[in-house]
Amino acid sequence: MKLDRLIGIITTLQQKGKVTAPYLAEKFEVSKRTISRDIEALCLAGIPIVTEQGAGGGISIMEGFSIDTTVFTEEELRSVFVGLKSLDSVSKDSKSALLTEKIGGVIPTTENMLIDLSSFYKEALSYKIELLKKAIDDRRRVTFRYYYEKGEEDKLIEPALVIFKWSSWYILGFCPDRDDFRMYKLTRLWELSVTDEEFTPRDIPAEKMSFSGAVEDNIMVSALYDASEKFRLVDEYGPYSFTVTEDGRLRAEFGFRSEKSALQWFFGFGGNVEILSPESFKQVYLTELRRALKIYENT
């Protein structure tokens, strides 16, 4: 992440006094152009960076400037540490260990929270996240194979933002073919590659940053669930998502993106659910049940 790298550059300059741009580029695994942009960003932020050309030159911080970590309380440091440890779960390098090294090991050792952002395929996920972060920093387009419900397609996008949302990882990027920003789920994204094509970052529209349009309820289904399924409704939608009927069953109405996602939801309840409406989806559900039954009748 750019913020991590900027902090890392400041810390490196404080520790070593003076370094070269190639040294920083190699240390943080980015291009020299990226380092130049980082130095400009630090100067704009008020950090007194000094650059000297020629033999013996390099990049340094103006003498007398330093960061005082004592401005952070113990609780603030613990919160930062927990956040960085959550990133450790999807990173190849330990961000929390780097922070501990930077501020002299004053992180509180007592932890009361653990956040794991990885999944059962952590290695592939970490690789994708690191590659996308680098592509964003270097302003390089990426290509990948994307799998939809109705098929698959090769994509080329300008990556803008790596997102953790709805318990999954996504990349938000500008798709030239669609002339718009799109979100892509990393579990459906494979054969990821960074191209040599550079791009100029675009402003992300405010409505795209709200992510509200990424998941739309295109079909609303009302149903009665057996009381034994209460935990599933609470787990997915909360304890106030249903009403209890006179016979003890649970009545609820939920939205789904498509008929397929709705079918997958209701099939998981077996005989413990009765679909009430709409009638059109009820007939689709019955058709799928009959098709499944026919498969087993012929075996």
Side-chain angles (χ1 to χ4, degrees), residues 127 131 135 140-144 189-195:
Y127 172 78
L131 203 64
R140 302 280 183 175
R141 289 179 167 182
V142 299
T143 61
F144 51 84
L189 182 160
W190 296 91
E191 300 174 34
L192 175 63
S193 177
V194 179
T195 73

Side-chain angles (χ1 to χ4, degrees), residues 251-280:
R251 180 166 185 152
E253 183 178 58
F254 302 131
F256 302 90
R257 295 184 63 186
S258 63
E259 286 185 347
K260 183 175 181 179
S261 60
L263 287 171
Q264 290 172 341
W265 166 260
F266 288 107
F267 281 151
F269 291 93
N272 286 339
V273 66
E274 177 188 350
I275 296 173
L276 301 177
S277 64
E279 186 63 28
S280 58

Side-chain angles (χ1 to χ4, degrees), residues 13 17-19 39 48-52 58-63:
L13 295 179
K18 182 188 295 183
V19 297
I39 296 302
I49 303 293
V50 178
T51 58
E52 301 175 65
I59 303 169
S60 61
I61 298 179
M62 185 179 295
E63 185 176 353

